[in-house]
Amino acid sequence: EGPLLGRAREVNLRAAELAREGAGPDLLVAGSLGPTGQLIEPYGLLNREDAVAAYGEQAQALADGGVDLLVLETIFAVEEAVWAVEGIKGATDLPLVVSFSFDMGTRTMMGLSPTDAVAAVIPLGIAAVGTNCGRSLKDADLVVTEILAAAGDVPVWVKPNAGVPKIVGAEVVY
């Protein structure tokens, strides 16, 4: 429910158009696709067909709006990652970064290790693999080290943000 229900294409298309306009012709614009927030069947409602369709619709709208690349980020489950890549690649040939969130330290909320995450998506022909968000800089360092070891020649994307402490004055703030 809500005012945006059923408006994914419209919202993503307009967001991409505005970003493209604001960036101008000389800067790259990335379109971000986040997790559905649903658990995979049989634990939740998310199934392959729905995931592929949803990610495909969003990717197509972002591509039509003028983004230069796509970033699938804050992913926790290997199934959702694979289904999302399938939907995205079925909609556009834009370069795709796949980024997992290791919010449980060195594992995702669904227990996925960095090595297993990388192994699941690299064969799908992605442009880069990596991590965003997380619990601490120490954990992020361990995760990035493991991703680097598993990624081979595939570029590694690192975006430490939410959940990583920031130093404010003499305090550490989360």
Side-chain angles (χ1 to χ4, degrees):
E1 293 186 29
L4 298 179
L5 185 64
R7 297 177 60 194
R9 176 167 172 74
E10 174 190 349
V11 170
N12 281 274
L13 178 67
R14 189 64 184 133
E17 289 171 345
L18 289 170
R20 174 81 278 148
E21 182 182 313
D26 299 328
L27 298 176
L28 294 176
V29 174
S32 176
L33 302 97
T36 63
Q38 297 180 9
L39 293 176
I40 306 296
E41 286 182 336
Y43 308 105
L45 301 175
L46 187 62
N47 61 54
R48 180 184 167 275
E49 182 180 342
D50 292 343
V52 169
Y55 281 107
E57 177 185 20
Q58 186 179 5
Q60 186 64 64
L62 291 168
D64 290 348
V67 302
D68 299 295
L69 70 143
L70 296 169
V71 181
L72 175 65
E73 56 187 325
T74 320
I75 300 299
F76 302 98
V78 70
E79 298 91 346
E80 185 168 3
V82 170
W83 297 341
V85 171
E86 181 181 345
I88 293 164
K89 289 193 154 290
T92 179
D93 61 356
L94 287 175
L96 174 61
V97 175
V98 179
S99 182
F100 294 86
S101 179
F102 298 92
D103 60 330
M104 303 305 291
T106 59
R107 301 275 179 168
T108 70
M109 156 175 89
M110 300 308 292
L112 189 61
S113 74
T115 299
D116 291 341
V118 169
V121 296
I122 282 186
L124 304 177
I126 61 172
V129 64
T131 181
N132 67 288
C133 299
R135 225 172 43 176
S136 71
L137 292 176
K138 180 181 174 187
D139 290 341
D141 187 43
L142 295 170
V143 166
V144 170
T145 299
E146 191 172 333
I147 290 173
L148 286 167
D153 293 337
V154 175
V156 172
W157 166 281
V158 179
K159 182 181 169 186
N161 50 5
V164 177
K166 300 161 193 68
I167 299 176
V168 178
E171 295 181 60
V172 176
V173 178
Y174 290 89

